[in-house]
Amino acid sequence: MVFSSRESLIEVIRRLPLGAIMSIEPHDCPLILERSALNVILSEDSFVKTSFVGDVVEPSLEEGSVIYIDLDTIFSAFLNLIIHSAKNLDNLLIFRPEIGDVEKTMAYVCSLFSPYIKLMILDSITTLYYLLDSKAPSEVNRKIGVYLSLLQSLANKLDIPIMVTSLIRAKKVKQAESWLTSPTGGRALLKSKVVLKLNKVFEHIEINVIKHDNDVFVGKTFKVSIGLKWSEN
């Protein structure tokens, strides 16, 4: 079923048995996000991440404008497959900054002020490390922290959810011969109020709520079908 409001979704969540996985429809995905907040989306699979983001973007276009900073360009490449039936694609504004353009793009986006903006996405922080590769790692981390602070301020000002995606990478621990997985930009992401971790399970995406400003969501798992078929041309 498609929920009519966030309140109706929360009402069902409260009745869930402990550990239950709740099935939702793609159009329900925006209801999991928090307004006036950074919502971090973690995934090991860039296609799963992109499919979920598409599920959030499509219904948001029905309400107003969506600002999309597409750093890894996957969303743009598969736009026609991701957005199946949106009637308001004119409301989607996509930025694809290249090396040297990131700071100018972020400054412009963070200066926007319009009641028609309903959602903003920064996709993904992982790519920032490549676009800002002329900087020292500490300088890149500092800039990412500044960008996230500016986005949080914008989320508060516009009272909208802002999504920030980050791919989970594995790093080898020198002391112990093992691999540790962590999201790119990990420390900077601690400022976020919502953290969702995505996993592909058969033909579904499992959405694990790691952190949320609304306690009713914390620890819950949602399941949504993957509408995007990557074998299509």
Side-chain angles (χ1 to χ4, degrees):
M1 63 176 292
V2 176
F3 290 90
S4 59
S5 66
R6 193 164 189 251
E7 289 70 27
S8 62
L9 172 63
I10 289 175
E11 184 179 342
V12 174
I13 292 174
R14 292 188 189 278
R15 299 198 301 265
L16 284 177
L18 187 65
I21 297 177
M22 180 176 177
S23 293
I24 59 174
E25 297 296 325
H27 267 56
D28 296 323
C29 289
L31 302 178
I32 304 173
L33 305 181
E34 192 71 37
R35 298 168 66 95
S36 299
L38 293 184
N39 297 260
V40 173
I41 312 301
L42 307 178
S43 179
E44 297 179 2
D45 187 322
S46 59
F47 293 139
V48 167
K49 174 261 297 182
T50 304
S51 181
F52 174 79
V53 171
D55 288 340
V56 175
V57 168
E58 186 167 338
S60 300
L61 291 174
E62 299 171 6
E63 301 179 8
S65 298
V66 174
I67 308 299
Y68 203 116
I69 307 168
D70 191 9
L71 298 177
D72 66 15
T73 70
I74 295 177
F75 182 86
S76 297
F78 291 95
L79 179 61
N80 291 335
L81 297 179
I82 296 166
I83 306 296
H84 302 286
S85 58
K87 300 177 181 179
N88 302 296
L89 282 178
D90 288 343
N91 291 340
L92 178 61
L93 181 60
I94 300 179
F95 293 88
R96 291 182 289 270
E98 299 179 354
I99 294 176
D101 297 331
V102 174
E103 292 189 34
K104 181 170 64 175
T105 299
M106 294 300 299
Y108 174 74
V109 167
C110 290
S111 70
L112 295 174
F113 185 77
S114 169
Y116 298 105
I117 299 174
K118 300 302 179 184
L119 175 69
M120 187 174 293
I121 300 108
L122 175 62
D123 183 18
S124 70
I125 276 188
T126 310
T127 310
L128 276 177
Y129 283 86
Y130 298 98
L131 294 177
L132 300 173
D133 64 355
S134 61
K135 310 288 185 181
S138 59
E139 177 64 11
V140 174
N141 289 330
R142 186 191 70 80
K143 285 186 176 293
I144 288 175
V146 170
Y147 295 155
L148 293 182
S149 293
L150 290 172
L151 289 174
Q152 177 61 71
S153 176
L154 186 63
N156 291 333
K157 183 168 64 175
L158 298 179
D159 188 29
I160 63 170
I162 293 183
M163 294 174 62
V164 178
T165 72
S166 175
L167 289 178
I168 297 174
R169 301 299 193 191
K171 296 181 180 180
K172 193 166 187 179
V173 180
K174 293 182 179 179
Q175 291 78 7
E177 294 185 359
S178 59
W179 292 82
L180 177 67
T181 58
S182 62
T184 311
R187 289 185 179 180
L189 298 179
L190 293 176
K191 298 179 180 180
S192 63
K193 293 185 178 180
V194 177
V195 178
L196 308 178
K197 186 175 183 296
L198 310 180
N199 296 291
K200 184 177 183 293
V201 180
F202 299 108
E203 297 303 315
H204 294 85
I205 298 174
E206 280 194 359
I207 307 160
N208 298 293
V209 183
I210 307 300
K211 179 181 178 182
H212 206 288
D213 207 38
N214 188 325
D215 290 342
V216 74
F217 286 95
V218 176
K220 299 298 188 294
T221 300
F222 301 92
K223 182 173 70 172
V224 62
S225 62
I226 302 177
L228 183 56
K229 307 298 182 184
W230 297 108
S231 59
E232 297 182 40
N233 295 317

